[in-house]
Amino acid sequence: MLLAGSGHSLQEAAANAVSCHPSVSKVLVADSDRFIHPLAEPWAKLIQLVQQRENFSHIVVASGSFGKNILPRAAALLDVSPVTDVIGISESTTFVRPIYAGNALCTVRYTGAHPCMLTIRSTSFQVQPYSTDSKAHKAPISQVDLSTFEEADTIGKSQYVKLTSQDSERPDLGNSRIVVTGGRGLKSAENFKMLEKLAEKLGAAVGATRAAVDAGFVPNDLQVGQTGKIVAPELYMAFGVSGAIQHLAGMRDSKVIVAVNRDADAPIFQVNSLSLSLSLGYLMGTEIKDSSCGFILNANGYKSS
Amino acid sequence: MKIMVAVKRVVDYAVKIRVKPDKTGVETQNVKMSMNPFCEIALEEALRIRESGLASEVVAVSVGPAQCVDTLRTGLAMGADRGIHVEFKDGLNPLSVAKVLRALVEAEKPGLLILGKQAIDDDCNQTGQMLAGLLKWPQGTFASKVTLDKEKRVATVDREVDGGIETVLLDLPAVITTDLRLNQPRYATLPNIMKAKSKVIKKYTPEDLNVEIKSDLEVLQVTEPPKRKAGVVVSSVNELIDKLKNEARVI
């Protein structure tokens, strides 16, 4: 594993990494102020540096906004074609990835020299349970020698300014067991509050379609879809979501999909497991009431068109 | 300052694609093709920067088969000043495209490169990042807002990341890739479509640019995703909750 950052939180992360999984045989730690923020330029150079010394057969990163930003740049520095967004591994250099918003699957083999570089969709791979007793194997930590780390050949610098995020106590959208999503059919940010109450009762994360984000109902980090987040929860409830191809791409691997929509011809009904055609206010009001907490919401809060 | 925008010709976003029965790929014959939506956004951003007086020229580039010229004409109709087509028949991967674009950058010396963040056919999301790496330029990917400071020669880019919006400051020249919310692309008006016919599209081959197209990826097959079991319509909330609790056991 390669960890980079600076100071106490890096050391803490390294201490966790050494026993996080029995397959970890070594933890490389790159400690420098350069890596405090997830900037692509120093990170890609770090990967190149480490690869040139250690000659790994594979370099793997999760396919989130961080991995997608840095891995292709690192691959170009190493003159390698990466395989991104992998959802299945057939052989050590043969992978399956979605194309055309997940409407087709492509099996591709990497035929170049080491390293084989990939980003993987976390939702497609289960974490196998294993025992973590105190005698668990602890991998050694090795500090990456950064004395020759030069970005002198980088033309121009990038600087991290800030991250604007919504503070939320709700579960992370990418990991949540249940996701409750609202689409344009919710018609207003106010109605999204109803959805948030439902999410609270169910212990769910809240998602949104691109249309809902564009309309300003919710911020962008809730967007589920081809170019937003990919989720695969046990239960995905879509309220007022038509089911455009690009949205389906982000949630079609959910175990159970519930679609609630007044339009019986909406494309979402092609992929759902259970569907209910009712006005949203009535549904959510009743749903929240029936959840074991006994909370009652005014079911007339939603105005139908 | 010159801005270079790379655009890709892809199957139109609204088309329902079909996987070929021989599993060699997706059916693209007699299927509507368009400029990749993210590339349209990239071009739109470049045009707005030029219109604000911060750039003098917008050059649209496309790498691929002969029909790419159609996509370039659309770009010229939107307002790009001139086009460049690097012709290559088939089987281009992002690394090769990035190498071709790098060669063009060395020839044209733009002050800013704008690309779409991903193409909606292969969904790779790699070319911009690779190009930035090859050029050793800073990169601002998944941009939802771009502000240029010409005097200081920097670009402030708001990026859509997993945790929210990240803001970075990039020295120019830089590579920016566009996300959906950056702007709403304009339609090409009829007068501009007519004007575009007389704008220049310069042609190259990869050999002209000393770029060797090699492939280290082999497509073994293209298949349909597994179909989901048919859905069930329920008639009341209680029935829904009952099924979720007792049958699917997810709540």
Side-chain angles (χ1 to χ4, degrees), chain A residues 38-41 45 48 63-66 68-70 72-73 75-77 79-85 94 97-113 153-166 177-178 202 209-210 213-214 220-221 223 226-229 234-235 237 245-246 251-258 260 269-278 282-283 286-287 290-292, chain B residues 10-11 13-17 19 25-28 38 41 93-96 98-99 117-127 129-142 156 158-173 179-181 183-184 214-226 228-241 243-245 247-251:
Chain A
L39 292 170
E41 299 83 3
K45 199 106 182 90
Q48 180 191 26
S63 184
S65 55
F66 171 68
K68 288 194 256 206
N69 189 29
I70 66 164
R73 185 181 177 114
L77 296 180
D79 199 21
V80 152
S81 284
V83 184
T84 49
D85 230 19
T94 305
R97 60 181 301 275
I99 56 174
Y100 289 93
N103 287 298
L105 298 180
C106 183
T107 306
V108 60
R109 176 182 291 143
Y110 174 67
T111 55
D153 58 352
T154 310
I155 302 161
K157 287 239 166 308
S158 67
Q159 204 181 302
Y160 182 92
V161 175
K162 64 177 174 176
L163 175 69
T164 318
S165 63
Q166 305 288 316
R177 202 180 66 84
I178 303 179
L202 293 173
T209 61
R210 181 203 159 182
V213 176
D214 281 357
N220 74 294
D221 54 332
Q223 183 174 321
Q226 179 186 18
T227 67
K229 290 200 168 68
E234 283 196 26
L235 173 61
M237 304 188 75
I245 300 172
Q246 293 79 7
M251 43 63 91
R252 62 195 295 150
D253 289 332
S254 309
K255 236 181 90 201
V256 176
I257 298 175
V258 174
V260 179
F269 293 121
Q270 306 293 321
V271 293
N272 71 306
S273 319
L274 296 163
S275 62
L276 179 54
S277 187
L278 265 189
Y282 176 74
L283 167 79
T286 335
E287 181 105 36
D290 288 344
S291 297
S292 46
Chain B
V10 297
V11 173
Y13 80 94
V15 164
K16 191 154 191 229
I17 55 118
V19 174
V26 157
E27 188 61 71
T28 53
F38 291 95
I41 293 171
N93 57 37
L95 186 55
S96 302
K99 288 179 178 173
K117 92 168 175 187
Q118 74 193 61
I120 61 167
D121 50 11
D122 55 31
D123 283 328
C124 278
N125 192 337
Q126 298 170 18
T127 309
Q129 295 86 308
M130 295 176 136
L131 180 55
L134 293 175
L135 291 168
K136 305 220 193 305
W137 290 6
Q139 65 189 56
T141 57
F142 329 141
T156 304
D158 280 359
R159 307 177 51 233
E160 299 213 5
V161 297
D162 289 340
I165 307 278
E166 181 187 280
T167 306
V168 292
L169 192 66
L170 311 176
D171 287 343
L172 294 177
D179 213 319
L180 287 176
R181 269 173 284 278
N183 61 48
Q184 276 269 37
K214 61 174 174 139
S215 184
D216 49 359
L217 291 176
E218 190 192 337
V219 172
L220 299 180
Q221 65 169 6
V222 173
T223 53
E224 276 185 19
R228 290 186 69 97
K229 260 181 3 187
V232 166
V233 178
V234 300
S235 52
S236 73
V237 176
N238 289 328
E239 199 188 336
L240 174 65
I241 293 179
K243 280 208 191 295
L244 289 177
K245 258 205 190 123
E247 274 182 39
R249 294 183 208 278
V250 284
I251 57 169

Side-chain angles (χ1 to χ4, degrees), chain A residues 233-248:
Chain A
E234 283 196 26
L235 173 61
Y236 189 89
M237 304 188 75
F239 293 89
V241 172
S242 66
I245 300 172
Q246 293 79 7
H247 182 73
L248 297 184

Side-chain angles (χ1 to χ4, degrees), chain B:
Chain B
M1 177 179 73
K2 198 190 299 186
I3 305 180
M4 186 181 277
V5 178
V7 299
K8 187 177 183 187
R9 179 174 181 266
V10 297
V11 173
D12 186 85
Y13 80 94
V15 164
K16 191 154 191 229
I17 55 118
R18 270 193 334 118
V19 174
K20 287 193 211 168
D22 64 4
K23 295 192 187 171
T24 56
V26 157
E27 188 61 71
T28 53
Q29 297 273 27
N30 300 318
V31 154
K32 180 174 183 206
M33 305 292 279
S34 302
M35 187 185 295
N36 182 42
F38 291 95
C39 301
E40 282 184 335
I41 293 171
L43 184 52
E44 174 63 33
E45 195 65 17
L47 295 172
R48 290 187 189 190
I49 294 172
R50 187 194 64 198
E51 283 157 7
S52 73
L54 294 171
S56 52
E57 197 185 17
V58 173
V59 183
V61 173
S62 197
V63 187
Q67 301 96 318
C68 287
V69 170
D70 298 336
T71 313
L72 283 172
R73 286 276 166 228
T74 305
L76 295 173
M78 279 173 69
D81 297 291
R82 58 188 167 87
I84 299 177
H85 175 213
V86 182
E87 184 156 359
F88 189 81
K89 277 229 168 58
D90 218 357
L92 276 170
N93 57 37
L95 186 55
S96 302
V97 173
K99 288 179 178 173
V100 168
L101 292 175
R102 174 182 52 179
L104 284 176
V105 166
E106 281 160 14
E108 293 277 341
K109 301 194 183 355
L112 180 62
L113 283 168
I114 313 183
L115 283 73
K117 92 168 175 187
Q118 74 193 61
I120 61 167
D121 50 11
D122 55 31
D123 283 328
C124 278
N125 192 337
Q126 298 170 18
T127 309
Q129 295 86 308
M130 295 176 136
L131 180 55
L134 293 175
L135 291 168
K136 305 220 193 305
W137 290 6
Q139 65 189 56
T141 57
F142 329 141
S144 61
K145 186 161 168 216
V146 174
T147 315
L148 290 189
D149 185 330
K150 200 171 184 186
E151 249 179 65
K152 299 204 189 112
R153 293 187 53 77
V154 292
T156 304
V157 180
D158 280 359
R159 307 177 51 233
E160 299 213 5
V161 297
D162 289 340
I165 307 278
E166 181 187 280
T167 306
V168 292
L169 192 66
L170 311 176
D171 287 343
L172 294 177
V175 175
I176 291 175
T177 76
T178 64
D179 213 319
L180 287 176
R181 269 173 284 278
L182 181 58
N183 61 48
Q184 276 269 37
R186 65 196 65 186
Y187 291 110
T189 61
L190 195 49
N192 283 336
I193 295 173
M194 299 310 293
K195 263 192 240 167
K197 294 190 179 175
S198 56
K199 288 183 183 173
V200 168
I201 295 181
K202 183 155 187 196
K203 270 189 144 61
Y204 290 101
T205 62
E207 295 78 48
D208 295 335
L209 301 167
N210 286 323
V211 177
E212 189 203 339
I213 306 284
K214 61 174 174 139
S215 184
D216 49 359
L217 291 176
E218 190 192 337
V219 172
L220 299 180
Q221 65 169 6
V222 173
T223 53
E224 276 185 19
K227 286 210 184 344
R228 290 186 69 97
K229 260 181 3 187
V232 166
V233 178
V234 300
S235 52
S236 73
V237 176
N238 289 328
E239 199 188 336
L240 174 65
I241 293 179
D242 175 59
K243 280 208 191 295
L244 289 177
K245 258 205 190 123
N246 303 316
E247 274 182 39
R249 294 183 208 278
V250 284
I251 57 169

